[in-house]
Amino acid sequence: MRLTVLGSNGTYPTAGRPASGYLVAASGSNLVLDMGPGVYLSMLERVRRPDAVVLSHVHPDHCVDLFALLAAIRFGDPDGWGIPVFAPPGLSDRFAAFLAVDADHALHRVFDFDPVGPGDRRRLGPFELEFGEANHSVPAVVTSVEAEGRRLVYSGDTGPGGDLERLAAGCDLLLCEAASQGDPPPDRYPYHLYAGEVGALAAAAGARRLIVTHLVPTLDPAVSVHEAAVEYDGPIDHAVPGMEVDV
Ligand SMILES: [Zn+2]
């Protein structure tokens, strides 16, 4: 199973650096985790049509490029309709509302929306998916992807709590948001993680490898990696677009 970082910026894209998006390939199948702004173009350099998409939540930095994929498949690939999209309940309604379309629209045939939440499992080609609760300001999922005997866990956006540590237990690779740096203040924003918390979580879960991602673009990634490394003594990297990792 191979992970390719399509985009890793937290919150907003910058030049050459899309927001959240990851390509997971195994046994000839391709799964895309999140499609933030810029991710569609990055994906096209590798895959024209993914076999499935997981959207962790409805925030724009994780899902707006589904509109680009919708148009490309709708008008450019009539045989490619029916792409499974796993996402928290209500996400397809938000897309339909934005487009001001009803249930008959091609949106619902180009994509096969499949609402998922904590405890749900899905099988797709070589991929075994399991979803857990993310502690975020809107319904959001943590995603475990297992294929070819390896397992990757992607946090999406989450604060402390939820199912991330449980799902990450013993995983081969933890791809985890680390939106903030330093010591969390008492009035900390509860729906994102600090880099030190991510390191502690990776250590507690026994993750074999850690990649921090979703840093706010103004932060120095070296500081985040250092803060995580204080708590976790396994290999740590910062996700950058184009990075490829054999899980
Ligand atoms: Zn985000």
Side-chain angles (χ1 to χ4, degrees):
M1 179 161 63
R2 170 162 278 218
L3 166 73
T4 302
V5 177
L6 302 176
S8 60
N9 268 24
T11 311
Y12 60 93
T14 52
R17 292 186 168 247
S20 295
Y22 310 91
L23 179 66
V24 184
S27 305
S29 292
N30 291 291
L31 177 68
V32 171
L33 304 174
D34 279 343
M35 292 198 74
V39 168
Y40 176 70
L41 286 178
S42 186
M43 184 196 79
L44 276 189
E45 293 172 11
R46 293 144 181 107
V47 174
R48 189 176 55 82
R49 178 194 182 280
D51 295 299
V53 176
V54 173
L55 298 177
S56 64
H57 63 295
V58 75
H59 284 158
D61 59 320
H62 294 259
C63 70
V64 291
D65 269 17
L66 196 73
F67 286 117
L69 182 62
L70 169 65
I73 301 298
R74 180 183 179 193
F75 298 111
D77 188 359
D79 297 326
W81 291 27
I83 298 172
V85 177
F86 306 103
L91 188 137
S92 61
D93 296 335
R94 303 285 283 273
F95 273 81
F98 187 92
L99 295 167
V101 298
D102 61 22
D104 295 331
H105 190 264
L107 168 69
H108 303 286
R109 299 197 302 284
V110 169
F111 298 129
D112 179 9
F113 286 103
D114 184 352
V116 292
D120 286 342
R121 294 169 183 265
R122 297 289 187 272
R123 166 115 207 173
L124 190 110
F127 301 110
E128 299 271 6
L129 307 177
E130 181 177 353
F131 301 94
E133 182 183 9
N135 177 25
H136 204 44
S137 55
V138 296
V141 290
V142 173
T143 305
S144 168
V145 182
E146 187 166 5
E148 299 173 343
R150 311 292 283 180
R151 196 164 70 85
L152 171 163
V153 172
Y154 170 51
S155 65
D157 282 5
T158 187
D163 291 327
L164 178 57
E165 186 174 323
R166 182 184 64 77
L167 270 189
C171 71
D172 296 291
L173 172 61
L174 174 58
L175 175 62
C176 192
E177 77 126 287
S180 301
Q181 296 174 342
D183 293 324
D187 62 344
R188 56 91 52 80
Y189 185 72
Y191 303 128
H192 283 296
L193 291 168
Y194 285 70
E197 294 177 317
V198 174
L201 191 148
R208 293 204 175 85
R209 180 172 182 175
L210 172 63
I211 298 180
V212 295
T213 190
H214 198 280
L215 276 61
V216 173
T218 52
L219 297 179
D220 176 358
V223 173
S224 299
V225 169
H226 173 76
E227 290 182 356
V230 171
E231 306 289 340
Y232 174 73
D233 60 11
I236 307 178
D237 290 291
H238 166 238
V240 292
M243 178 181 187
E244 297 189 7
V245 176
D246 285 319
V247 178

